[in-house]
Amino acid sequence: MSKIKILTNGLVKENPVFVLLLGMCPTLGTTSSAINGLGMGLATAFVLMCSNFVVSLVKNIIPDKVRIPAFIVIIATFVTIVQFCMQAYLPSLYDSLGLFIPLIVVNCVVLGRAESFAAKNSPVDSIFDGLGMGLGFALALTILGGVREFLGTGRIFDIAIYPESYGALVFVLAPGAFIALGYLIAVINKLKAKN
Amino acid sequence: MEYIMIFIAAVFVNNVILSQFLGICPFLGVSKKVDTALGMGAAVAFVMTIATIVTFLMQKYLLEPFGLTFMQTITFILVIASLVQMVEIILKKVSPPLYQALGVFLPLITTNCAILGVAIIVHQKDLSLLNSVIYAISTAIGFALAMVLFAGIREQLSLTKLPKAMEGTPIALLTAGLLALAFMGFAGIA
Amino acid sequence: MAKLESSFKNMVLVLTAITCIAAAALAGVYELTKEPINQSNLAKQINAIKAVCPPFDNDPMADKIESKLPDGSIITIYPAKEGGKFVGAAVETYTMKGFSGYIKLMVGFNADGSINNYAVLQHAETPGLGSKMQEWFSNTDKPSQSIIGKNPGVNKLTVSKDGGEVDAITAATISSRAFLDAVQRGYDAVKDQLKQ
């Protein structure tokens, strides 16, 4: 498989959120605005890339039976690194993402890719897979965050499009997350059926 | 009174699934039937309570005194993963009927972010051990409640005719959205 | 290279090795980021004090005083001085009465007890309703909803529904009551300092 193909695979065809339906908790929990969605997506992408690379490097020295715990330790290490760096250099983003940063550890996308791709492929391919999947995840979160922010407050990336008082507040709140994602997936199903 | 407040807040007001977005994967994955939803809810309640106690003690008596709080995430997730394994082995030996009921759900629980989430939240909120346990149990009840309600609706929903693109996950998410909307009615009582 | 066998020795060795490397890496990153994290927390605090207080030239963090309210809660006061003269104070105050419980504010008072400005530090109120606290009560274009310049010792700072002088945020009366409660508590904590 060519590198480009691996990259775009995660971005569109096997988009972790819209197609594989993985990592739903951060998808719904952190997308009250486009910028939060983007921040969360990029943090996850970084962890995914690094853990994929390391898992692929050490895959041969890990006995099969302790494969999962070993992967989890590797993932948790990168998650904690991201957590500290964000706390130090992007404190306001850290405050708004809060609990969901340490919870990247249990994001099924990350462990899923380590297990199904990185444990079988070369380190370089694994980086590309991690990057593709990570960017696909970030893209999905940014779109969902943008839609919710637009419908809820009339802005996108904090730029006002229409007056806030016309916004449907519910989209910023919890129920809106479920509803917006439901319709987005329905739209994507429809597009897929057409092709 | 304080305990009742924690309970009501965790079960209804800040329901773990519908307002905190934790544990969505099993919520969407194993909620097609009321029976399985109930089994998953019970398994989560079991592990969440034990995991919260163990991680609480680890944090207070191991990580904090030795200045190792930066290992929190790794320690907690490893504790949870090994706990799940242990619970599985012990249940198999001690209570085969219970193992039969919960067994299939246990491996799925390691990656249930509600468990790790609660373990971390009780430290962020700085709760005492007793309050943490009550919080964990209440959260688990809230989880089970949302699962069972949702499964009940989905059983009915599976009989309905839908546009093709809306089948499966999209309609499940919309249903969850309406359920979350209903739960917002509880806001402000605690 | 062939895959390592799943013997007990190998499993223990590999897991221990991985955990040790992980711990070492994390300890390193922790040491590197500890200083910046502290700095950014400190900067947040100082910026909040600067934003709410009249101009000052002392170090309020160093001069801080802890004041105990009758109900036992402890409120931190950061006195602001210019040329050694007391010009006002920032008060880090809180309430538990919010719609979702805890609300933390930094309220700046002038030396005469009037409110100079405030900043909402932490809250979990409903986005779009209760979360409007920061803009709503500082909107000086609408004197009936703004608290800027008012003096909790003179003006009655409760919502107009309760007979006070402040209009509550539309559809968020509980959050508004809680906000004003926190402001009042801040004033109660600082009023003895202001008299001096």
Side-chain angles (χ1 to χ4, degrees):
Chain A
M1 224 183 338
S2 76
K3 308 277 180 273
I4 303 295
K5 216 167 178 183
I6 299 178
L7 199 68
T8 53
N9 183 41
L11 215 50
V12 185
K13 214 175 98 211
E14 281 187 30
N15 187 296
V17 175
F18 292 141
V19 182
L20 302 181
L21 305 173
L22 293 173
M24 283 295 157
C25 303
T27 304
L28 294 163
T30 62
T31 51
S32 56
S33 71
I35 192 79
N36 284 356
L38 184 63
M40 185 67 203
L42 290 182
T44 312
F46 175 79
V47 172
L48 198 50
M49 221 169 78
C50 297
S51 65
N52 252 9
F53 177 64
V54 174
V55 163
S56 167
L57 273 185
V58 298
K59 60 178 187 272
N60 283 331
I61 58 163
I62 297 177
D64 247 0
K65 276 191 186 158
V66 290
R67 193 176 72 238
I68 302 291
F71 291 172
I72 290 180
V73 172
I74 293 170
I75 294 167
T77 309
F78 286 112
V79 168
T80 315
I81 291 175
V82 167
Q83 188 181 351
F84 285 146
C85 292
M86 203 177 250
Q87 212 172 346
Y89 303 110
L90 295 165
S92 60
L93 184 64
Y94 178 79
D95 283 345
S96 55
L97 297 180
L99 182 64
F100 285 98
I101 295 290
L103 288 185
I104 297 176
V105 178
V106 281
N107 187 326
C108 339
V109 180
V110 184
L111 189 60
R113 288 328 278 182
E115 168 85 353
S116 66
F117 194 95
K120 295 181 196 116
N121 290 285
S122 76
V124 179
D125 280 357
S126 299
I127 290 189
F128 276 95
D129 178 70
L131 187 65
M133 278 289 161
L135 290 181
F137 189 70
L139 181 74
L141 261 64
T142 314
I143 293 176
L144 183 59
V147 168
R148 286 179 64 192
E149 195 182 356
F150 179 71
L151 294 175
T153 65
R155 304 157 199 252
I156 290 181
F157 283 110
D158 244 0
I159 300 161
I161 312 279
Y162 63 87
E164 193 177 345
S165 45
Y166 293 107
L169 188 62
V170 70
F171 281 101
V172 184
L173 306 178
F178 289 107
I179 294 170
L181 183 62
Y183 277 116
L184 272 180
I185 294 178
V187 167
I188 285 169
N189 282 348
K190 189 94 195 159
L191 290 179
K192 261 199 314 199
K194 259 191 194 153
N195 288 344
Chain B
M1 196 53 205
E2 194 193 348
Y3 304 134
I4 300 174
M5 289 305 250
I6 294 179
F7 179 79
I8 293 178
V11 175
F12 297 109
V13 184
N14 297 318
N15 185 282
V16 57
I17 294 177
L18 298 170
S19 87
Q20 303 203 58
F21 303 112
L22 299 177
I24 307 275
C25 296
F27 179 64
L28 293 174
V30 278
S31 62
K32 292 206 174 93
K33 284 213 180 88
V34 174
D35 297 351
T36 46
L38 209 56
M40 187 68 186
V44 165
F46 200 65
V47 175
M48 192 183 275
T49 314
I50 302 176
T52 306
I53 298 174
V54 176
T55 51
F56 188 92
L57 296 175
M58 296 270 291
Q59 172 86 6
K60 280 278 179 294
Y61 295 104
L62 197 68
L63 297 183
E64 278 174 11
F66 293 101
L68 292 171
T69 41
F70 57 87
M71 294 285 285
Q72 193 192 44
T73 313
I74 291 193
T75 320
F76 282 18
I77 189 69
L78 280 181
V79 165
I80 292 168
S82 32
L83 255 179
V84 171
Q85 290 269 309
M86 252 164 57
V87 167
E88 205 176 339
I89 295 169
I90 294 174
L91 272 189
K92 212 188 228 167
K93 287 260 158 64
V94 178
S95 167
L98 198 60
Y99 177 76
Q100 287 247 304
L102 304 183
V104 277
F105 305 109
L106 284 172
L108 291 171
I109 285 181
T110 313
T111 50
N112 182 336
C113 52
I115 311 262
L116 181 62
V118 168
I120 297 175
I121 286 175
V122 296
H123 292 294
Q124 284 180 349
K125 290 195 172 191
D126 215 12
L127 298 177
S128 68
L129 180 58
L130 183 60
N131 282 355
S132 302
V133 173
I134 293 172
Y135 182 79
I137 296 174
S138 321
T139 305
I141 293 175
F143 179 82
L145 179 73
M147 286 284 285
V148 172
L149 282 178
F150 190 55
I153 302 174
R154 276 186 95 173
E155 276 186 3
Q156 299 292 316
L157 209 60
S158 61
L159 305 171
T160 324
K161 255 180 104 72
L162 285 167
K164 190 110 187 58
M166 292 296 289
E167 273 172 18
T169 316
I171 193 68
L173 281 166
L174 289 192
T175 314
L178 295 178
L179 205 55
L181 207 53
F183 265 69
M184 275 183 73
F186 290 117
I189 59 171
Chain C
M1 198 165 88
K3 243 190 161 109
L4 264 188
E5 232 183 299
S6 290
S7 70
F8 185 72
K9 198 183 89 196
N10 280 346
M11 292 199 288
V12 173
L13 271 180
V14 167
L15 268 190
T16 317
I18 289 182
T19 317
C20 287
I21 296 171
L26 281 186
V29 176
Y30 175 70
E31 283 302 321
L32 279 179
T33 52
K34 200 162 71 177
E35 216 21 57
I37 290 177
N38 282 340
Q39 296 247 318
S40 82
N41 286 340
L42 210 63
K44 238 189 268 174
Q45 198 83 352
I46 290 185
N47 284 339
I49 297 175
K50 271 191 189 142
V52 301
C53 264
F56 57 87
D57 57 11
N58 65 326
D59 177 8
M61 302 288 276
D63 295 343
K64 72 173 179 188
I65 313 166
E66 287 190 339
S67 169
K68 206 170 178 187
L69 289 183
D71 67 359
S73 41
I74 289 172
I75 307 269
T76 314
I77 299 170
Y78 302 98
K81 294 172 186 160
E82 194 170 33
K85 197 173 143 273
F86 182 80
V87 291
V91 184
E92 198 181 301
T93 175
Y94 67 94
T95 181
M96 299 303 293
K97 292 183 184 161
F99 199 57
S100 314
Y102 190 70
I103 299 176
K104 188 157 99 176
L105 308 175
M106 183 75 85
V107 186
F109 292 96
N110 296 313
D112 63 359
S114 60
I115 294 167
N116 185 60
N117 206 345
Y118 68 87
V120 180
L121 299 182
Q122 198 187 335
H123 75 92
E125 302 304 283
T126 320
L129 296 172
S131 67
K132 283 188 195 151
M133 289 177 289
Q134 182 69 59
E135 302 87 47
W136 186 273
F137 296 107
S138 59
N139 187 350
T140 39
D141 295 339
K142 293 186 178 154
S144 63
Q145 69 185 49
S146 160
I147 63 163
I148 308 292
K150 288 181 183 163
N151 183 336
V154 182
N155 304 86
K156 197 166 180 227
L157 286 197
T158 50
V159 297
S160 35
K161 259 187 212 169
D162 301 344
E165 295 181 20
V166 185
D167 285 349
I169 303 171
T170 318
T173 310
I174 296 177
S175 300
S176 307
R177 272 192 194 126
F179 174 86
L180 294 172
D181 176 59
V183 172
Q184 187 67 44
R185 282 158 59 87
Y187 177 77
D188 292 344
V190 80
K191 67 184 172 201
D192 292 337
Q193 303 293 325
L194 296 172
K195 280 181 196 142
Q196 286 163 15

